């Protein structure tokens, strides 16, 4: 079956209160009821379509959640104030004291810090593994394991998770497979490949304008109801709620995601192929040389490409820093963390976004000092960008 996530978004139909082509924003934190009985039923979760209080649901967060669920092919979704708000609430919902998590060792720095430093306070412990090796993953599963956690394309090393393979393990041992799909919206649909829960940081490609943080959990109605339960739901009780105005603005940006992703992907593929030919150590899932190129190809919705993220190795931290400063001076992009912006963004993960990971472990996982992570922008003239970047690399001595 061909999966058409962008079609699913397009097929949604909402009107505003006054016939506006965008849904109205409900700029209220609380909602009135015509009868006291309906208020009670809403509290109990038995009054569909009624809104109670904005930490639970608002019309705007519901519209955005529905659109993201349509994109990921899940029953429903719950948006939150940040990607970390989504990640931590899912992990806290699925795990209690003495439970165990098997996680990829190459994950977002914040997620890593949460599992490594915070969750053990609650006696929830994590084994970090090379997620590309299913044998290692299976070997770490114990009777206490509840969650298998990974990113479809990992940050920052761009390792690719074999989601169908991990889903088989999850099924065999009755675990929840949680996939953070932030790096590959539309290109990969983890649910279709067997994931139970799909998470995004909306901050990145999905919103795409670097003006807000946001997150989403896509899953079954049951899972999302649990997360939002007023009795013991982690999303409800931790309270990382997205504001209605933001939900509305992210929904509007979501509608152009397919166009943006195609451009991010084709620009990144162009640069990755050129840099590799120039002899620069380049990692991009679209390159034949990527160890998981075939796995990615088998999982992807081909029309959206291999995504906008690539890395190069400049050889040393000094060269990486000099190159990034020069590229910024030449206005080829910004020296900034985060991703999915119209401009190219670059950073050296070892000393920034992955600095939560101890140096020793960075080395072990192949995170070198000279690594530069690029989120390739929407440049219309990518050949010109390439020529200018190449000139910068020559000046810094990354290529001779
Ligand atoms: C940014 C990011 C997060 C965290 O999202 P926030 O919106 O910053 O909380 C989680 N996972 C990945 C892969 C990310 O890139």
């Amino acid at each position: 079956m061909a999966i058409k996530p962008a079609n699913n978004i397009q097929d949604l139909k909402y009107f505003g209160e006054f016939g506006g082509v965008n849904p109205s924003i409900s700029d209220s934190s609380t909602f009135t009821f015509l009868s006291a009985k309906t208020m009670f039923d809403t509290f109990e979760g038995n009054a569909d379509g009624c809104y109670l209080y904005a930490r639970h649901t608002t019309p705007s967060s519901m519209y955005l959640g529905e659109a993201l669920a349509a994109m990921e092919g899940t029953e429903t979704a719950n948006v939150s104030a940040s990607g970390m708000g989504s990640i931590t609430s899912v992990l806290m919902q699925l795990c209690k004291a003495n439970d165990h998590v098997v996680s990829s060792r190459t994950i977002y720095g914040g997620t890593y810090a949460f599992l490594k430093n915070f969750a053990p306070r609650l006696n929830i412990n994590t084994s970090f593994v090379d997620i590309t090796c299913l044998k290692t993953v299976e070997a770490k599963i114990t009777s206490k394991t509840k969650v298998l956690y990974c990113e479809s394309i990992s940050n920052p090393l761009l390792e690719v998770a074999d989601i169908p393979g991990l889903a088989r393990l999850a099924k065999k041992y009755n675990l929840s497979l949680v996939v953070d799909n932030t790096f590959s919206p539309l290109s990969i649909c983890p649910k279709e490949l067997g994931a139970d829960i799909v998470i995004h940081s909306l901050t990145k490609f999905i919103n795409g304008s670097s003006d807000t943080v946001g997150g989403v959990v896509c899953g079954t109605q049951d899972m999302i109801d649990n997360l939002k339960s007023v009795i013991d739901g982690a999303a409800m009780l931790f309270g990382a709620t997205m504001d209605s105005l933001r939900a509305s603005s992210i929904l509007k940006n979501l509608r152009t995601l397919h166009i943006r992703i195609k451009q991010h992907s084709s620009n990144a593929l162009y640069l990755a192929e050129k840099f590799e030919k120039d002899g620069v150590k380049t990692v991009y899932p679209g390159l034949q040389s990527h160890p998981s190129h075939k796995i990615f190809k088998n999982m992807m919705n081909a029309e959206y490409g291999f995504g906008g993220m690539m890395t190069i190795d400049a050889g040393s931290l000094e060269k990486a820093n000099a190159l990034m400063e020069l590229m910024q001076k030449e206005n080829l992009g910004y020296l900034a963390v985060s991703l999915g912006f119209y401009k190219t963004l670059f950073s050296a993960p070892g000393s920034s976004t992955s600095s939560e990971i101890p140096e020793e472990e960075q080395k072990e996982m192949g995170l070198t000092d000279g690594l530069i992570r690029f989120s390739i922008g929407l440049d219309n003239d990518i050949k010109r960008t390439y020529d200018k970047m190449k000139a910068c690399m020559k000046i810094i001595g990354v290529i001779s």
Side-chain angles (χ1 to χ4, degrees), residues 87-149:
I87 292 164
T88 52
S89 63
V90 163
L91 291 168
M92 289 298 91
Q93 196 67 34
L94 295 175
C95 298
K96 55 182 185 342
N98 298 318
D99 284 346
H100 175 248
V101 176
V102 175
S103 169
S104 166
R105 64 184 182 186
T106 55
I107 49 174
Y108 181 70
T111 312
Y112 179 85
F114 180 76
L115 286 171
K116 175 97 178 174
N117 306 325
F118 197 99
R121 291 198 208 168
L122 309 167
N123 209 12
I124 297 165
N125 292 297
T126 300
S127 299
F128 294 97
V129 297
D130 175 355
I131 202 73
T132 62
C133 179
L134 292 177
K135 263 201 191 123
T136 316
V137 175
E138 184 164 19
K140 291 287 178 187
I141 296 170
T142 72
S143 58
K144 291 182 172 177
T145 310
K146 291 285 153 58
V147 172
L148 206 49
Y149 187 93

Side-chain angles (χ1 to χ4, degrees), residues 13 21-22 31 47 66 69 79 120 129 208 210 223 227 245-246 376:
K13 187 161 142 194
V21 294
N22 290 300
F31 298 82
E66 278 188 3
V79 296
V129 297
S210 293
M223 169 64 194
L227 269 180
L245 275 75
R246 273 309 180 192
I376 302 300

Side-chain angles (χ1 to χ4, degrees), residues 14 23 60 63-64 67 246-255:
Y14 300 128
S60 303
Y63 290 134
L64 177 60
R246 273 309 180 192
S248 165
S249 73
I250 295 171
L251 178 62
K252 284 179 272 190
N253 288 349
L254 177 66
R255 295 169 181 155

Side-chain angles (χ1 to χ4, degrees), residues 302-368:
E303 62 180 312
Y304 305 108
F306 294 90
M309 302 304 293
M310 60 173 254
T311 66
I312 66 158
D313 195 329
S316 68
L317 182 60
E318 290 68 34
K319 279 187 179 178
N321 288 344
L323 179 60
M324 291 191 295
E325 284 168 12
L326 183 58
M327 287 190 299
Q328 176 161 262
K329 196 162 151 247
E330 295 295 323
N331 200 16
L332 292 166
Y334 298 140
L335 205 179
V337 298
S338 198
L339 39 131
F341 199 38
Y342 82 101
K343 277 267 204 191
T344 293
L345 301 178
F346 33 80
S347 56
S351 51
S352 62
T353 48
S354 295
S355 55
E356 294 92 338
I357 303 171
E359 237 169 273
E360 193 78 345
E361 286 171 49
Q362 290 193 17
K363 223 171 253 158
E364 205 185 297
M365 61 177 69
L367 212 168
T368 53

